[in-house]
């Protein structure tokens, strides 16, 4: 039971891929905040399907309707709820999905956890579609952070191990043609976060960002600053020396710590990377099991799929980070 | 404010390095559980200082006193509180620590967050000593998991980038002599976790383990299964094919997913790795700032320090994982 | 920030009186539960306005739309969200409401807390309309409790101090004519709750039911068993003697404890009473203040109001109790 | 599982009557707060046994040891833990307590909930002794509230239905002689609480105070302002008219609302009453059951007992209210 995140900026995500709607309820938005709906729409559009050559062709307008919490366009102190109608649903036959779990998907785990009553259509509550409400909550957090001079910016570091645009383009064309898929790494930089944000132990910046980012389907690793590279370094290399900059502000000459020391921000940019596995839905034939017939079978996943989910995941990573940071910012205030 | 972890097996850690005591209060232990105190002592001893050539010589008996929750050696349903007295404290002069933050430590971030009232002695609440109460909570969780046929086993994968014992030994001798330090990678394997454990979105196995493991000082990255490697793979490689084994149990031929799909366990071993940065306390001279005099200064950290914290961190990683898994196990039960 | 209630059966209420919608998201419903929508509709109808001579004539269909969490009429393990559209809204002029707080209403307190951005229309988030989503959550809890042989039944004990139907009818006619209002007392009896339900200290049956019931607007007191009468009794009178009944079940001969001892159920019916103040909206002229003009003024509240909210509040009390008890029932299970 | 209370000022109480210790861990105390230990000691002394003619003669120094969170007498931002050693324990023979539950006590409910492993000695975790750590947390909250100009003052309104000192004295002498007991009503007034404190729905001042106060053993009812009397009033009587006082502050002419409207403070004193049942431990013979022999038996409770717990409960009520109000005060700050 953890469709909720946050303590002071707290939101609860609901919905399934093919339910009437998906959405989010946000508590903790200050009264009087005027969400920039155009900006939010543009933000949501970055994760929307159908926006590129290598993304699924499922069409979803994904325009949120704000059903509570706003009066004349500004927040009023009541929880803000936004819903997005699922318009393109339940057309298929899900018999096969019930019987044969797709490798790399939550299908089998969900079958064990929820039994025959689970929602299999489109991945149910485990669908990547649930990142849309995450982006609504995070998109609003981004706007509130911006008012505090804080920016959160993600970018793709690599796709399928490739870092050069030409090589990436070639790789994507190749996997698309073969009915295969690739993963990638997204780096996110949060600038302007003041020093002193974060709570001790389980409430550190790293704990909370990691908890949020792992909610994005396909994320298999999160690292801060030098991350796994730090494990191969010596203390004298990895320790970031402090100094006073020309404005008298304490800074570090390097940022191997990724902006967090002891879980608390240092004033340096918070930098982290998230590793995405390849989209598990591939057209290529795979081995799986028939849970009803109790036998090993072959499976080829049909339908609309992204050969590389990473292309659409950048705003999701930004949203998760923004939500975690804004929540901690509020938590640190008295 | 996050010295607490868990929802059904919930514990709160308290104390500072040089306070009268450190400790933990655990809610959610079933009544009638008989902790094996000898086993717990042996588990705590694995993280205790003074147990190896390359660990700090600070002597701490670290024997917990259980002040509540037990009757005649078994739990009674009331919260269990254990405290460990800090016997070897407050001998030093902390004036310098207040003025000059140690690179790589929480000193500066804590100074901004808590101001002049923070506890600087021995790192205060940010000290690695606080992993002792984590190991008490996690050590009890391990015993309860064992009753369910679940084991959680960590091991060092690499130290300072080296994986061979001889090379590691050589490296440690080298950094100790130079007053430097190294980090490393710990891998943890949780076997016997049944399929279906974990909650959706922010409550997945990965979210919760990551949240717990990042509470261990010096952890800068957490990855599951193939982790960051998965980002360079193709779906056809990374997807783990399902099959029925000879006992009719659904398994996967590979375990790139690290035992978690959609945040829910698959029945395969839960496998993750934690990257530790090098111990930030090093004898070598470093650049820092004098926060009082407001000038750049040189600093050489004196005192008792581990050249490689990873050697003592294995039980901490096991404890964090065990706590997260046991908590989710209970959360999934109705 | 507390639009949420519960730990295992957890729901979050959203909406304002004149927002596009009000609603609730419920986490923790077991997968495979088939809500009886007809029964739920009948339950909601009991609190709906326009159903009696002495209730407001505001017309609201109050038919919830379930936008998530259901598949083919049964729960699937994902959060269940239901919304109710507000169809009869924003017709008025709220200028006066912004300036002149209504005595006995949340208007003034909300003005201080949320400032000029608050939602004043129809009482905003403080409207009694928000008990509709409470009744959705509680109505589902009631159905789940029924499956366990537990019933939760409220009834009106008194209205304006009168306990006889004829006297109550006369009183209501009188206050309606005068543009005044009356309060009353509702008693709720929860039968079939097994012994051993409830958590220690702040999680007792009384703590949780009280926390839930005080969320119903106009409730000013909650008492269990003999309640305030117990304060005038002697121990020898108030203590309920235990005995084995003919089936060998431990029972008490009286039920002054109202089914809860130490916050834990005894197996006897859980009995409590909630005191409701009179509806604060009255047509009679009252003294208030003009917050803009900063002067004392006279106010007469116009519009559609119940002269006695108690008549519609019985299902709300049942809903609050059912939610609290079902949540504790789950919390006690391992 | 609810030994914890609060969201921003959050504390967890642990211990049993005859465990080595009882205590509390408090998160959320601002760094730099200097608890007045003498004042805290005086506050704790008001609930300590052995301080009056009609209180138990059990001797307990009840001097808390602060084992974490303080440096040189001030808070440092880390959780504050205080323990009180139980010095006067485990002398008795508890065989009878295991078999025969005392009427009015938690014994039977605890037996069902925790089974044979429960701690029966002195009432275990259900003992009134656990109000000592509540008073530590609440006593510190009181000091912090005082810094904000807020006072929380309880007083006994009635004992066994009597309100006059002479009649009360006579009643107490009578019940003591007979081996009986009496209850009473405590009223608590919180002055200086600014308007606008409290959260909507389940987080209102009334919800939170009630949740806290019901944690005090023997409390069976909580009412605010006119409380149950309001249920017999008319709106025109019960509504408190607003006016501007000579300083231009909005006040109400009466305080039937008890300082809370819609769960949010109005700026008027927060006034509530708690009903205490008579001490369940009485020397007079009572009917009970032998859970082992499975037969109805007679019971006479021996030992050290207060004929009227109300005499010592005033600081407990103040502590509960102070904790709830201080927590909400922090929660409302951004």
């Amino acid at each position: 039971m953890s469709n909720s995140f946050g303590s002071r900026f707290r939101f609860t995500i609901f919905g399934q891929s093919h339910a009437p709607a998906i959405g989010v309820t946000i508590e903790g938005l200050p009264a009087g905040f005027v969400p920039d709906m155009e900006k939010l729409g543009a933000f949501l559009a970055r994760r929307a399907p159908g926006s590129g050559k290598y993304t699924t062709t499922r069409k979803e307008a994904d325009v949120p309707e704000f059903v509570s919490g706003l009066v004349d366009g500004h927040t009023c102190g009541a929880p803000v709820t936004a819903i997005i109608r699922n318009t393109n649903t339940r057309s298929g036959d899900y018999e096969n999905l019930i019987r044969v779990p797709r490798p790399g998907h939550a299908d089998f785990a969900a079958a064990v956890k929820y039994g025959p009553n689970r929602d299999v259509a489109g991945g149910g509550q485990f669908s990547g579609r649930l990142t849309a409400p995450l982006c609504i909550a995070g998109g609003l957090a981004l706007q509130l952070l911006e008012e505090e001079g804080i920016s959160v910016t993600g970018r793709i570091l690599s796709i399928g191990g490739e870092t050069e645009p030409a090589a990436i383009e070639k790789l994507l064309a190749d996997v698309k043609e073969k009915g295969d898929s690739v993963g990638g790494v997204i780096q996110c930089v949060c600038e302007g976060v003041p020093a002193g944000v974060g709570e001790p132990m389980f409430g550190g910046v790293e704990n909370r960002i990691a908890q949020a980012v792992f909610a994005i389907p396909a994320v298999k690793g999160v690292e801060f600053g030098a991350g796994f590279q730090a494990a191969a370094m010596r203390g004298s290399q990895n320790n970031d020396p402090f100094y006073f900059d020309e404005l008298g502000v304490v800074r570090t000459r390097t940022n191997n710590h990724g902006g967090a020391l002891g879980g608390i921000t240092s004033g340096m940019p918070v930098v982290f990377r998230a590793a995405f596995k390849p989209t598990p839905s591939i057209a290529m034939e795979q081995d799986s099991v028939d849970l009803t017939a109790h036998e090993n079978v072959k499976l080829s996943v049909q339908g609309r799929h992204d050969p590389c989910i990473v292309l659409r995941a950048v705003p999701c990573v930004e949203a998760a980070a923004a939500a975690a940071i804004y929540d901690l910012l509020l938590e640190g205030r008295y």
Side-chain angles (χ1 to χ4, degrees), chain A:
Chain A
M1 229 180 82
S2 269
N3 282 56
S4 300
F5 182 82
S7 66
R8 297 277 284 169
F9 173 79
R10 183 169 180 83
F11 56 94
T12 304
I13 290 172
F14 52 86
Q16 310 108 258
S17 181
H18 290 213
I22 55 176
V24 63
T25 295
I26 310 169
E27 291 184 86
L29 285 170
F33 163 57
V34 181
D36 183 331
M37 291 300 181
E38 205 167 319
K39 192 184 279 187
L40 181 65
F43 182 68
L44 292 175
R46 288 171 54 203
R47 76 156 284 291
S51 62
K53 188 155 54 165
Y54 298 113
T55 57
T56 166
T57 55
R58 173 172 174 176
K59 295 278 174 283
E60 298 277 4
D62 277 2
V63 177
E65 180 198 5
F66 285 81
V67 297
S68 79
L70 297 183
V71 176
D72 299 335
H74 62 75
T75 56
C76 66
V80 169
T81 297
I83 62 172
I84 298 175
R85 294 278 166 184
N86 288 324
T87 52
N88 204 348
T89 63
R90 302 268 164 214
S91 48
D93 171 11
Y94 298 107
E95 171 66 12
N96 200 44
L97 266 175
I98 291 173
R99 299 178 67 139
V100 184
R102 295 165 298 174
H105 271 285
D107 299 348
F108 172 69
V112 175
K113 183 170 180 66
Y114 299 110
N117 296 299
R118 71 192 183 280
D119 187 354
V120 297
Q125 61 177 310
F126 296 95
S127 165
R129 234 183 114 51
L130 273 292
T131 56
L134 171 64
C135 283
I136 295 173
L140 296 181
L142 276 168
Q143 293 184 19
L144 286 154
L145 286 174
E146 199 181 332
E147 290 181 7
E148 315 242 1
I150 299 169
S151 67
V152 176
T153 314
R155 69 182 181 90
I156 296 172
L157 273 196
S158 66
I159 298 271
E162 302 290 348
T163 57
E164 295 304 315
I168 290 172
E169 174 75 25
K170 190 158 167 294
L171 176 63
L172 288 171
D174 184 52
V175 296
K176 192 182 182 187
E177 191 200 315
K178 290 186 175 138
D180 207 345
S181 65
V182 279
V185 175
I186 290 174
Q187 177 166 287
C188 190
V189 178
C190 316
E191 289 188 274
V193 185
V197 173
E199 300 295 317
M201 302 224 65
F202 305 103
V205 178
E206 291 139 320
N207 306 255
R208 297 278 184 92
I209 289 180
Q211 195 199 355
V213 171
F214 273 116
I216 306 169
V219 171
K220 298 304 282 185
V222 174
E223 62 176 9
F224 290 80
F228 277 85
Q229 296 303 323
M233 291 161 78
R234 302 207 175 182
S236 53
Q237 292 173 279
N238 182 68
N239 280 356
D240 301 305
F242 290 112
Y243 72 103
F244 284 105
D245 73 5
E246 58 276 19
L247 299 170
V249 177
V250 174
R251 299 177 61 80
T252 59
R253 297 214 178 266
T254 46
N255 191 12
N256 291 318
H257 69 292
L261 291 167
I264 317 292
T265 54
S266 66
M268 294 296 289
V270 174
V271 180
F272 71 92
R273 281 171 299 284
F276 284 75
K277 70 178 184 185
T279 317
S281 291
I282 56 176
M284 291 169 75
E285 190 180 79
Q286 301 176 82
D287 288 334
S288 187
V289 289
D290 184 319
L291 296 170
T292 309
H294 212 78
E295 62 184 16
N296 296 333
V297 295
K298 297 288 180 187
L299 171 74
S300 173
V301 182
Q302 306 302 329
R304 312 160 294 192
H305 305 295
D306 291 2
C308 181
I309 200 73
V310 179
L311 302 175
R312 292 169 51 200
V314 175
C316 304
V317 172
E318 293 171 352
I325 289 172
Y326 184 61
D327 182 47
L328 282 171
L329 201 67
L330 295 185
E331 197 168 335
R333 285 190 187 153
Y334 276 86

